[in-house]
């Protein structure tokens, strides 16, 4: 983590986790994301995982860029249950969303999913993706206050699904 986590941020991560649980109930992998306005309170968009190429984050971000300006998005925060993968981090970068906060890391997810064919995790942290760019995206995570909650959803899902 790069800075202290606020109670409001923890609430947003818990809301993203509820979206992940809903995605799971619809037959999708349990990932959830929300986009929060610059006021750090208003939820602009929410999205659960759809499929292997329409992750919660990338799908939400593509909707965001059609509805908000790049300058506005720079001051928004993407909250997501799991660290954005390389695809989602790159999508965030190109969309100009200036912050991301996540519950558990890709490495923690890999520990939960193992070599599951439904989740062939890339070991490429979002910080590494962003470091290759020209913008300084603020990254906060993993967030200890929600790790157990997010991990429980994935542990249950991947054991049932494997």
């Amino acid at each position: 983590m790069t800075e202290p986590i606020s109670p409001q941020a923890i609430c947003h991560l818990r809301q993203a986790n509820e979206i992940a649980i809903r995605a799971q109930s619809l037959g999708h992998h349990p990932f959830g994301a929300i986009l929060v306005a610059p006021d750090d309170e208003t939820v602009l968009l929410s999205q659960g995982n759809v499929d292997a190429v329409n992750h919660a984050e990338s799908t939400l971000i593509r909707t965001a860029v059609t509805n908000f300006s790049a300058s506005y998005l720079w001051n928004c925060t993407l909250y997501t249950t799991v660290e954005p993968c390389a695809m989602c981090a790159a999508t965030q970068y190109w969309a100009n969303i200036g912050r991301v906060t996540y519950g558990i890391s890709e490495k923690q997810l890999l520990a939960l999913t193992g070599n599951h064919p439904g989740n062939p995790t890339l070991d490429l942290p979002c910080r590494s993706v962003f470091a290759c760019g020209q913008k300084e995206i603020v990254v906060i995570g993993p967030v200890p206050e929600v790790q157990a909650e997010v991990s429980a959803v994935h542990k249950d899902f991947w054991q049932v699904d494997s």
Side-chain angles (χ1 to χ4, degrees), residues 83-87 106-107 109-110 119-126:
E83 178 179 7
C85 71
M87 174 181 69
E106 278 282 314
K107 284 193 184 299
L109 177 65
L110 180 58
N119 191 56
T121 301
L122 285 170
D123 186 11
L124 182 57
C126 69

Side-chain angles (χ1 to χ4, degrees), residues 108-133:
Q108 290 169 301
L109 177 65
L110 180 58
L112 294 168
T113 63
N115 193 25
H116 194 287
N119 191 56
T121 301
L122 285 170
D123 186 11
L124 182 57
C126 69
R127 285 176 174 89
S128 297
V129 174
F130 297 141
C132 293

